[in-house]
Amino acid sequence: MNTMLDDREGFAAFLLRLRALGTPPRDLVAAMEATPRKTFVPGAWQSVAWSDRMVPIECGETLEGADLQAAVIAALQLEPGHRVLEVGTGSGFTAAVMARLAARVVTVDRYKTLAEQAKQRFEALGITNAFARQADGSNGLPGEGPFDRIVVWAAFDNLPRAFVDQLSTNGIMIAPIGAAEDTQLLAKLTKIGSRFEREDIAKVRLQPVIKGVAAVI
């Protein structure tokens, strides 16, 4: 099997799924195509790299399907000057894509292994404006805002009000809200004054936000 051809076919199928939902932003499509997804997907799962299924990665975590990642990045409405905070680095793919669309991306994960691997992938791809590190992102990074955009790949029980002060005026945060054992609502939260204006954009099933950092891995 020609892996490059396989990859192109996978990306083409992904693009068809996106177009079935409407016209995807051209800059987003270009950024995703320019980011070699297989670099971020474990070997055993490379054949489904561009599918909409979640795949397991190190530290017992998962990589969201390409379709959900694209929908979330599109909803962030990234612009070239934006500063972005991502909570839940995973393999680093979404941070790498966002770094092609924004000025600066800070991505944090509770697992040192994931943060270090993402850092190595960014370096290998020559991405110099994405910064991965191990940190407890359950309340964001209070000392480092404001950010223009925040995305969290783990679910909150309630509206994450602690993040309001970390967003710039009219900033956007995307995060799942709902009980851990249930389907959650993926919320687009826009900062208006000192509060959030909420718009639910999808149903998801993601792990709950966990406080603290992993001690060993």
Side-chain angles (χ1 to χ4, degrees):
M1 177 67 77
N2 183 326
T3 54
M4 194 172 287
L5 180 65
D6 199 27
D7 197 42
R8 281 206 300 268
E9 286 177 352
F11 182 78
F14 158 72
L15 209 48
L16 283 174
R17 294 194 304 272
L18 285 195
R19 286 178 179 151
L21 300 172
T23 307
R26 188 178 295 177
D27 58 348
L28 169 61
V29 172
M32 292 190 81
E33 189 171 17
T35 308
R37 190 166 171 82
K38 285 190 172 182
T39 302
F40 297 84
V41 176
W45 298 93
Q46 299 224 326
S47 63
V48 293
W50 285 107
S51 78
D52 63 350
R53 64 179 291 177
M54 297 179 88
V55 300
I57 58 173
E58 290 82 1
C59 305
E61 292 296 290
T62 52
L63 174 68
E64 300 81 16
D67 300 37
L68 176 59
Q69 291 180 328
V72 168
I73 296 171
L76 284 169
Q77 298 167 256
L78 294 172
E79 294 176 9
H82 281 163
R83 294 182 69 226
V84 183
L85 170 63
E86 177 182 53
V87 178
T89 305
S91 70
F93 179 76
T94 44
V97 172
M98 292 190 295
R100 300 181 189 278
L101 300 167
R104 177 183 170 88
V105 178
V106 178
T107 179
V108 299
D109 203 285
R110 64 188 306 268
Y111 293 106
K112 185 178 181 181
T113 300
L114 296 181
E116 289 297 327
Q117 287 180 350
K119 197 181 297 182
Q120 290 165 13
R121 288 172 181 136
F122 300 157
E123 286 174 6
L125 292 172
I127 296 170
T128 58
N129 61 329
F131 306 90
R133 64 175 185 263
Q134 183 187 31
D136 176 4
S138 58
N139 284 313
L141 290 177
E144 298 192 30
F147 296 96
D148 302 294
R149 300 291 187 262
I150 298 175
V151 56
V152 182
W153 296 102
F156 295 93
D157 283 336
N158 304 296
L159 203 63
R161 299 185 193 282
F163 285 80
V164 172
D165 293 340
Q166 295 176 50
L167 270 178
S168 57
T169 303
N170 299 319
I172 294 172
M173 176 175 178
I174 307 270
I177 300 175
E181 64 280 355
D182 209 350
T183 301
Q184 302 115 11
L185 292 169
L186 188 64
K188 178 179 180 179
L189 306 168
T190 305
K191 181 176 177 175
I192 307 294
S194 59
R195 63 178 183 85
F196 278 140
E197 190 174 89
R198 176 175 174 174
E199 176 193 352
D200 294 331
I201 55 177
K203 289 184 177 179
V204 293
R205 192 81 187 266
L206 295 175
Q207 294 180 358
V209 164
I210 300 173
K211 291 186 181 298
V213 295
V216 181
I217 54 173

